[in-house]
């Protein structure tokens, strides 16, 4: 190869291998039927910097790619000509495409997810989502349920309900480190996620999940009405020391530490770990509400890449320890 490889995409149907490189170009190969020979097919001068994602769309005969030059480009795979270009606000780290609607889902290092409508020679901005506090590290699109999953360096996953058209966003908190990969098993409606600390989480998405509430603003505790430390007037009038503000993860109310001393899991809100809740919410959470909706597994290596093959039920993980592992997921993805 003329430069170090940075990403690749393989289409089994056409045996087309698209390889993005550090120098901004994409090299395309056709693999022989016995997989013992690679024939160079075409080279695309796609980007001014490292190619971060490359995606071949057979139905459109397009090669989509993103780079550190903050550009999303799409080329015709038949002629090799560039069809269009879109400039993003930060360099892109995740890309998915829906063939039916021609929507491209673009996740970038600012934590934003952008939806674009791609045409043969132009594109239009549909909308943008901002829910992560860290950069987007992985995207996964389910065309059947019309749901987009995004993973981030902030350890969280967000499920964006695109098809519902109501702006519903469900948070999933089950990792202790950067989310590195997302795969969806449509036949069982389970999401597989992995993080750089080696954690693999299998999420049951066949349950009715709830959105996390917006955090409310207040100058005093919404339970005991004690002033927070910036509320000088109430502190002076009541001759009380100001308290630190916290928020209940279940109701979103602004509360003091004394009124939110308890912790609980809230799996249907995506909180598989114990989080801060106010006293009244803690009393309302039943054992049934605390029933986990995810299973946790340790891959015992720092995962940098993951791929799930639903036809065989196999999961491949590649680690920073230079080890590739193949997992039989049928006992847990079923």
């Amino acid at each position: 190869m003329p430069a170090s490889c940075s990403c690749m995409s393989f289409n089994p149907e056409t045996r087309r291998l698209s390889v993005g490189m550090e120098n901004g170009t994409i090299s395309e190969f056709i693999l022989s039927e016995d997989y013992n020979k690679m024939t160079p097919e075409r080279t695309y001068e796609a980007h001014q910097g490292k190619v971060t994602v490359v995606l071949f769309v057979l139905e459109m005969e397009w090669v989509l790619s993103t780079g550190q030059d903050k550009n999303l480009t799409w080329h015709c795979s038949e002629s090799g000509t560039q069809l269009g270009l879109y400039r993003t606000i930060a360099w892109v780290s995740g890309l998915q495409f829906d063939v039916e609607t021609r929507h491209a889902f673009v996740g970038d290092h600012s934590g934003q997810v952008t939806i674009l409508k791609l045409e043969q020679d132009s594109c239009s901005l549909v909308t943008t989502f901002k829910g992560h506090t860290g950069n987007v590290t992985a995207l996964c699109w389910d065309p059947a349920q019309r749901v987009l999953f995004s993973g981030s360096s902030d350890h969280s996953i967000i499920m964006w309900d695109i098809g519902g058209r109501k702006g519903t966003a469900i948070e999933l908190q089950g990792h202790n480190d950067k989310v590195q990969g997302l795969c969806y098993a449509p036949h069982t409606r389970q999401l597989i996620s992995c993080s750089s600390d080696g954690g693999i989480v299998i999420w049951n998405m066949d349950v009715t999940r709830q959105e996390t509430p917006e955090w409310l603003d207040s100058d005093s505790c919404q339970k005991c009405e004690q002033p927070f430390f910036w509320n000088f007037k109430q502190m002076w009038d009541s001759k009380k020391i100001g308290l630190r503000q916290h928020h209940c993860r279940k109701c979103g109310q602004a509360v003091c530490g004394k009124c939110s001393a308890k912790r609980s899991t809230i799996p249907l809100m995506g909180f598989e770990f114990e989080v801060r809740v106010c006293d009244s919410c803690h009393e309302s959470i039943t054992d049934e509400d605390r029933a986990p909706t995810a299973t946790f597994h340790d891959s015992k290596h720092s995962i940098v890449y993951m791929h799930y093959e639903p036809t065989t039920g196999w999961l491949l993980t590649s680690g920073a320890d230079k080890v590739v592992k193949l997992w039989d997921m049928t006992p847990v993805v079923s």
Side-chain angles (χ1 to χ4, degrees):
M1 302 298 288
S4 298
C5 304
S6 52
C7 57
M8 61 170 58
S9 170
F10 179 64
N11 181 261
E13 208 172 320
T14 58
R15 298 191 306 281
R16 187 189 300 255
L17 179 69
S18 308
V19 184
M21 288 173 282
E22 298 270 356
N23 64 1
T25 61
I26 299 168
S27 287
E28 209 166 67
F29 302 89
I30 301 297
L31 274 61
S32 61
E33 284 190 37
D34 61 1
Y35 289 88
N36 279 324
K37 185 181 178 184
M38 292 168 62
T39 305
E41 180 79 1
R42 188 171 281 108
T43 298
Y44 305 91
E45 300 294 334
H47 298 277
Q48 297 299 315
K50 171 183 170 181
V51 182
T52 54
V53 186
V54 62
L55 202 61
F56 171 63
V57 183
L58 175 62
E59 293 85 352
M60 309 299 300
E61 294 182 339
W62 286 354
V63 176
L64 278 67
S65 64
T66 60
Q68 283 188 342
D69 57 0
K70 302 179 184 177
N71 286 337
L72 162 69
T73 66
W74 57 107
H75 289 76
C76 173
S77 62
E78 293 297 298
S79 64
T81 56
Q82 181 176 303
L83 300 173
L85 181 145
Y86 179 83
R87 183 87 173 159
T88 58
I89 61 167
W91 71 273
V92 175
S93 43
L95 176 65
Q96 294 280 282
F97 184 75
D98 181 57
V99 174
E100 187 183 332
T101 61
R102 295 190 183 184
H103 283 156
F105 305 98
V106 183
D108 62 42
H109 264 233
S110 74
Q112 182 172 286
V113 178
T114 304
I115 302 183
L116 303 167
K117 171 88 169 182
L118 301 190
E119 302 294 348
Q120 194 66 25
D121 55 0
S122 64
C123 79
S124 55
L125 175 66
V126 178
T127 188
T128 56
F129 300 137
K130 183 78 182 193
H132 291 291
T133 55
N135 54 292
V136 175
T137 52
L139 287 181
C140 181
W141 169 245
D142 173 26
Q145 302 292 326
R146 308 206 65 74
V147 165
L148 180 73
F149 299 97
S150 61
S152 170
S153 59
D154 63 10
H155 309 177
S156 73
I157 299 163
I158 299 179
M159 181 185 90
W160 309 92
D161 185 3
I162 310 294
R165 298 181 180 274
K166 293 179 182 176
T168 306
I170 305 292
E171 263 188 75
L172 303 173
Q173 300 278 359
H175 286 285
N176 293 310
D177 211 333
K178 177 171 73 170
V179 177
Q180 290 284 55
L182 296 170
C183 298
Y184 188 67
H187 57 296
T188 59
R189 291 195 67 183
Q190 286 171 292
L191 177 72
I192 306 168
S193 60
C194 69
S195 52
S196 53
D197 63 355
I200 298 175
V201 184
I202 317 295
W203 304 86
N204 178 13
M205 302 311 297
D206 199 19
V207 293
T208 305
R209 294 187 176 272
Q210 304 162 19
E211 277 192 284
T212 50
E214 291 284 332
W215 284 7
L216 302 176
D217 290 324
S218 179
D219 291 329
S220 57
C221 176
Q222 293 180 300
K223 295 295 180 183
C224 68
E225 299 184 353
Q226 283 267 82
F228 292 134
F229 65 84
W230 59 84
N231 189 352
F232 298 120
K233 185 180 184 306
Q234 191 178 342
M235 285 163 59
W236 177 262
D237 292 344
S238 61
K239 301 294 186 288
K240 290 178 180 176
I241 297 172
L243 304 175
R244 187 181 166 194
Q245 185 190 59
H246 300 282
H247 284 92
C248 172
R249 300 303 190 271
K250 192 172 190 297
C251 66
Q253 286 192 322
V255 288
C256 66
K258 189 179 177 183
C259 294
S260 60
K262 295 183 172 67
R263 304 287 183 272
S264 176
T265 59
I266 322 171
L268 290 178
M269 278 189 170
F271 296 115
E272 293 288 339
F273 302 145
E274 289 194 338
V275 289
R276 182 186 294 273
V277 290
C278 66
D279 293 349
S280 54
C281 282
H282 190 271
E283 289 174 15
S284 71
I285 300 171
T286 64
D287 288 342
E288 191 179 335
D289 293 333
R290 291 189 179 93
T293 60
T295 58
F296 297 84
H297 313 271
D298 185 8
S299 70
K300 292 186 168 59
H301 71 159
S302 177
I303 299 172
V304 293
Y305 177 78
M306 177 180 78
H307 177 75
Y308 176 67
E309 183 51 60
T311 55
T312 58
W314 288 359
L315 179 78
L316 179 142
T317 59
S318 178
D321 55 0
K322 303 180 184 177
V323 175
V324 175
K325 296 185 180 184
L326 196 60
W327 307 82
D328 178 11
M329 302 298 286
T330 49
V332 288
V333 181
S334 58

